[in-house]
Amino acid sequence: MHDQASALRALASRENQKHSKMRVIAVTSGKGGVGKTNFTVNLALALAEYGQRIIILDGDLGLANVDIAFGLTARHTIAHLISGEKSIEQIILSGPRGIGIIPGGSGVQGLADLERDKLTNVLANLGRLEKMADMLIIDTGAGLGHTVMNFLQAADDIILVTTPEPTSLTDAYGLLKTLRKEAGEVPIHVVVNRVRTESDAQATFRRLETAVHKFLDGSVNFMGWVYDDPLVGRSVMQQEPVGISFPESPAYRCVQWIAGKVAGIYLRPPRQAGGVRGFLSKLLRSF
Ligand SMILES: Nc1ncnc2c1ncn2[C@@H]1O[C@H](COP(=O)(O)OP(=O)(O)OP(=O)(O)O)[C@@H](O)[C@H]1O
Ligand SMILES: [Mg+2]
């Protein structure tokens, strides 16, 4: 613990910025397969259109997703960063519109079991992200796993993706319940994916909100919805995000609208102990 604390202090003093400007946004869901990766990738593209510099951290422990969605192949992952074989600059993939992608893979779990002698190096590398981007968007895995929860607790904002399906909503509620206990102060924004109509989206959000008001403290913010759109599926097959293949598609239009709201988050004054440095210190404290 002592080593971690001193490494963090050293990192914090190395770059003497008082407030970090980079925001850390975690995209998550209760149930798997609801569209997190597609949403993350297209949100990054839309934010890049707004002039934001974006880095995506693929925080899914399973198969690499984000690189595939961009039609890229990760050669190195966070695991190489942890082992000291590669620097952050060497593992980041370059996507379209200047988007950087950090492939996580099995290395993400490694972040949780960092050996002390490796910690300083990893911290210094991740700390350099601050100079490279305005926002770090994390595509977490689904569910209530230990690593996912650590990412969520450490983020500045959480975007919770659900679909109107009852099972997806039930799992979203389950995740919210845990988040209220374990990450009480992190704002949660809900995106309803794969809706047929606006009223479908509104009704879905209301169902979730009613449960939250009835059984939990706190509130959730409705960030928007994305239409169920066959062009998304087509883009997945082509390994190209819908924001590139079909920028006029209904689904991408929705993501652009949501990106406008997310860009607004960036304009909000930073919380103290937020940003990438706050993220790292909270991440380490939770392990
Ligand atoms: N708005 C949409 N319209 C139509 N299909 C969609 C939409 N969003 C996602 N999909 C479909 O759902 C599938 C799963 O999406 P995605 O891989 O983004 O989910 P995920 O939540 O990241 O899954 P996992 O939990 O496995 O990581 C995609 O292959 C895509 O075809
Ligand atoms: Mg995914």
Side-chain angles (χ1 to χ4, degrees), residues 7-8 11-12 29 37 76 145 204 218 232 263 278:
L8 275 165
L11 174 72
S29 68
T37 301
H76 308 294
T204 301
V232 174

Side-chain angles (χ1 to χ4, degrees), residues 36-37 60 65 139-140:
K36 286 179 301 298
T37 301
D60 200 317
N65 282 307
D139 178 7
T140 75

Side-chain angles (χ1 to χ4, degrees), residues 143-157:
L144 292 160
H146 182 60
T147 313
V148 172
M149 198 47 67
N150 288 333
F151 279 138
L152 298 177
Q153 285 170 333
D156 289 315
D157 286 271

Side-chain angles (χ1 to χ4, degrees), residues 29 31-39 60 65 139-142 193-195 226-234 236 251:
S29 68
K31 185 171 176 278
V34 299
K36 286 179 301 298
T37 301
N38 271 283
F39 176 75
D60 200 317
N65 282 307
D139 178 7
T140 75
N193 189 25
R194 310 198 67 162
V195 303
V226 180
Y227 290 117
D228 189 56
D229 183 346
L231 292 174
V232 174
R234 227 201 286 171
V236 169

